[in-house]
Amino acid sequence: MERISWDQYFMAQSHLLALRSTCTRLTVGATIVRDNRIIAGGYNGSIAGGVHCIDQGCYVIDNHCVRTIHAEMNALLQCAKFGVPSEGAEIYVTHFPCLQCCKSLIQAGIKTVYYAQDYKNHPYALELFQQSGVKLKKVPYEPFTVDPAEAEKKQLVNRLLETLKESNIDEDYLNRLQEEADKLF
């Protein structure tokens, strides 16, 4: 198996964190990293022990859910809670940070923001990141799976295709099946 890049590794972690989100509108994950080591992570959701959007719906004011703490803020707050400095660290986020998170990331000393998807990229956030010297890098997420039985599955499919080939099945149909198998693996 080919190793994934550091960017893909940390972005995958952020997408994994997003699976814990309790927001029904958008799931977001964030991973704070220093020296290729994860120092904190967060996802968007309610305060600890509070009511969750998935249970009672979003509490929307001015088209924004006020019940939800953003993933970036949760990750920064985790650093603060456990005394882990964020100065000079980097953050990997599933979506471009909102304006409020942008300001918090700058104030926390984050030096680079990696994001997988554009999401309402506020022009003032872009200006503030540039003004403060925070680098932005879009890292499109390439989902992958870890399947310990992948080799065995591939061997089985190849044996089945070989059996079909020996049975004089239509060659065009067999080629389409082979193409589908190649896409799977």
Side-chain angles (χ1 to χ4, degrees):
M1 182 166 104
E2 188 176 320
R3 292 177 76 189
I4 61 174
S5 70
W6 285 114
D7 285 348
Q8 286 299 316
Y9 174 76
F10 296 125
M11 195 57 76
Q13 178 68 32
S14 294
H15 278 82
L16 184 63
L17 283 162
L19 295 175
R20 289 283 304 156
S21 172
T22 60
C23 180
T24 59
R25 298 174 66 178
L26 182 69
T27 59
V28 180
T31 305
I32 300 178
V33 174
R34 184 185 303 105
D35 299 324
N36 285 341
R37 299 292 178 262
I38 296 170
I39 61 172
Y43 53 87
N44 57 332
S46 302
I47 62 167
V51 173
H52 295 286
C53 298
I54 57 174
D55 297 325
Q56 293 189 8
C58 292
Y59 182 10
V60 178
I61 298 175
D62 295 329
N63 202 31
H64 187 76
C65 181
V66 296
R67 180 176 284 144
T68 301
I69 302 168
H70 291 188
E72 301 93 326
M73 286 303 301
N74 266 329
L76 289 172
L77 291 168
Q78 189 178 73
C79 285
K81 185 175 184 176
F82 295 106
V84 178
S86 55
E87 180 72 36
E90 304 169 319
I91 191 165
Y92 289 78
V93 190
T94 57
H95 296 76
F96 189 86
C98 73
L99 182 56
Q100 296 306 316
C101 287
C102 157
K103 293 187 280 187
S104 296
L105 294 170
I106 292 167
Q107 287 301 99
I110 298 294
K111 67 179 184 179
T112 307
V113 175
Y114 300 89
Y115 63 99
Q117 293 180 28
D118 290 304
Y119 184 73
K120 300 181 182 179
N121 301 25
H122 197 284
Y124 190 52
L126 291 166
E127 182 181 329
L128 288 175
F129 280 137
Q130 183 178 17
Q131 177 184 327
S132 63
V134 173
K135 297 176 192 153
L136 293 173
K137 183 177 178 189
K138 188 172 184 179
V139 178
Y141 179 59
E142 300 166 13
F144 62 93
T145 57
V146 177
D147 183 356
E150 181 177 0
E152 291 84 1
K153 289 176 183 178
K154 189 173 186 178
Q155 289 172 353
L156 175 63
V157 167
N158 286 335
R159 283 197 314 269
L160 290 170
L161 288 171
E162 193 58 40
T163 301
L164 286 173
K165 186 176 182 181
E166 291 170 3
S167 68
N168 294 325
I169 196 165
D170 178 61
E171 192 173 329
D172 288 335
Y173 179 66
L174 186 60
N175 287 337
R176 285 196 304 273
L177 289 175
Q178 181 66 58
E179 288 174 9
E180 287 182 42
D182 291 343
K183 286 180 187 174
L184 288 174
F185 300 105

